[in-house]
Amino acid sequence: MQQGVIRMQALWRGHHSRKLHDICKVVAMRLCLQKVSEQIREEDRLCNKTSWAIEYLLKYKDFACILEALKNLETATRLSPECCERLVTSGATLVIFTLIFNCNRSVTCMEVITYAVQVLLNLSKYDQTTEAVYAVENSVDTLLDLLQIYREKAGDKVAYKGACIFTKTCLLLVILLQDKRRVLEMRKLPKAVERLHSIYRLTACKHKMEAERTVVKQKMNASINGSFIVQATPRKSKPMSVVQQVFLFLPFYKCPSGLAIVQPN
């Protein structure tokens, strides 16, 4: 009876709103959306796309099928929390981590890893599915392996894909380690904190070298143009790279000053 009353109220509010606010443009838009909805095939619905993508991911070993399935899962998990829960219930998170672990550094594999990490990021947006990502065996070690493998500087296509994987993996670790219990568990992992500290140190050194290289290029360009005096610019605090900003959010790192190396607690 209560559901019936709520339904009747919703119908009346919709009718009353349309009666007050309907204009030609809104009516035309509504009719267009109705036509599009009528033309939608059953297999194009998000829930059905999620189901066949999970089936492809669990059954097939062909890279083309796996990549297509990951693309559909990335869209579904980005748009729908229900699809995230369905993916977790199917046990596909373990398959995704296994897929990441078995990939090499070829361009095709890097594309697969990029979509796989993005799917895990989408799952980590919701409290109901974040724990499922972290609970996969050796999940933190796998993510740390990705950080160590894909420390690439921007440049060619392969390096760009590597940097993309590196940044997404950093963000995923930040989200997973917002929970104090998970932080304590990660500290107990053998050499996990040391590995993370090493990655941060190398990234900070690379950022410093790139900043110095940029200054040298500016001076050389100025000398080539006939002006040997570089104009003074107002001094500002040195901006940090995106990767360094991501590391600052990790719970077991203190805020560094400049590019100094930070010792973990």
Side-chain angles (χ1 to χ4, degrees):
M1 188 174 181
Q2 183 182 6
Q3 293 296 323
V5 172
I6 294 173
R7 174 78 173 171
M8 185 170 59
Q9 288 176 336
L11 289 171
W12 167 250
R13 289 190 183 117
H15 169 73
H16 186 63
S17 176
R18 286 190 294 273
K19 190 175 180 180
L20 290 178
H21 304 293
D22 267 4
I23 57 176
C24 295
K25 187 179 292 187
V26 175
V27 173
M29 190 180 299
R30 185 183 303 123
L31 292 174
C32 182
L33 289 174
Q34 287 175 354
K35 289 181 181 179
V36 172
S37 299
E38 291 171 359
Q39 296 173 1
I40 291 178
R41 298 174 299 175
E42 194 65 26
E43 59 267 24
D44 290 334
R45 297 184 182 277
L46 196 62
C47 58
N48 295 330
K49 277 192 170 186
T50 305
S51 298
W52 76 255
I54 292 173
E55 183 180 356
Y56 270 48
L57 193 64
L58 295 176
K59 290 184 178 180
Y60 293 92
K61 296 183 179 180
D62 180 65
F63 253 52
C65 295
I66 291 174
L67 184 58
E68 189 64 28
L70 285 172
K71 288 180 180 179
N72 282 283
L73 285 176
E74 192 280 321
T75 303
T77 52
R78 174 163 42 87
L79 298 176
S80 171
E82 289 79 11
C83 291
C84 291
E85 293 178 5
R86 182 178 297 187
L87 190 149
V88 168
T89 305
S90 69
T93 48
L94 176 60
V95 178
I96 292 174
F97 271 104
T98 305
L99 186 64
I100 292 173
F101 182 77
N102 291 326
C103 280
N104 55 36
R105 296 194 65 177
S106 66
V107 176
T108 305
C109 284
M110 291 172 73
E111 192 171 2
V112 168
I113 292 173
T114 301
Y115 280 103
V117 175
Q118 186 60 54
V119 170
L120 296 176
L121 265 176
N122 294 340
L123 294 178
S124 301
K125 292 189 300 185
Y126 306 103
D127 294 335
Q128 299 89 336
T129 51
T130 304
E131 185 60 34
V133 177
Y134 176 79
V136 175
E137 187 178 2
N138 298 325
S139 59
V140 174
D141 287 330
T142 303
L143 295 178
L144 289 176
D145 288 339
L146 286 181
L147 290 180
Q148 286 187 318
I149 293 171
Y150 294 103
R151 290 184 295 102
E152 301 285 355
K153 62 181 181 179
D156 58 1
K157 184 178 179 181
V158 175
Y160 173 77
K161 286 183 178 294
C164 185
I165 293 172
F166 184 85
T167 306
K168 290 178 185 293
T169 307
C170 281
L171 291 174
L172 181 56
L173 271 175
V174 167
I175 295 173
L176 294 179
L177 296 177
Q178 294 301 307
D179 185 79
K180 293 182 178 179
R181 174 184 61 82
R182 296 178 195 145
V183 174
L184 294 175
E185 290 177 357
M186 182 179 177
R187 286 178 177 174
K188 294 177 182 178
L189 293 176
K191 298 185 178 180
V193 178
E194 289 80 0
R195 290 175 67 188
L196 191 59
H197 179 245
S198 174
I199 295 167
Y200 176 83
R201 176 172 51 81
L202 293 172
T203 306
C205 290
K206 183 182 292 185
H207 174 72
K208 184 177 180 180
M209 291 174 62
E210 289 178 356
E212 293 174 351
R213 196 176 296 118
T214 302
V215 173
V216 171
K217 285 183 179 179
Q218 289 176 349
K219 291 181 179 180
M220 291 178 63
N221 291 335
S223 63
I224 291 172
N225 293 332
S227 174
F228 292 89
I229 302 176
V230 180
Q231 294 182 353
T233 55
R235 295 189 64 182
K236 296 181 180 179
S237 58
K238 185 179 296 183
M240 289 182 292
S241 64
V242 175
V243 173
Q244 287 179 293
Q245 294 179 27
V246 168
F247 272 108
L248 294 185
F249 287 97
L250 291 172
F252 43 84
Y253 272 84
K254 295 181 180 179
C255 179
S257 57
L259 294 172
I261 305 304
V262 185
Q263 296 292 340
N265 293 333

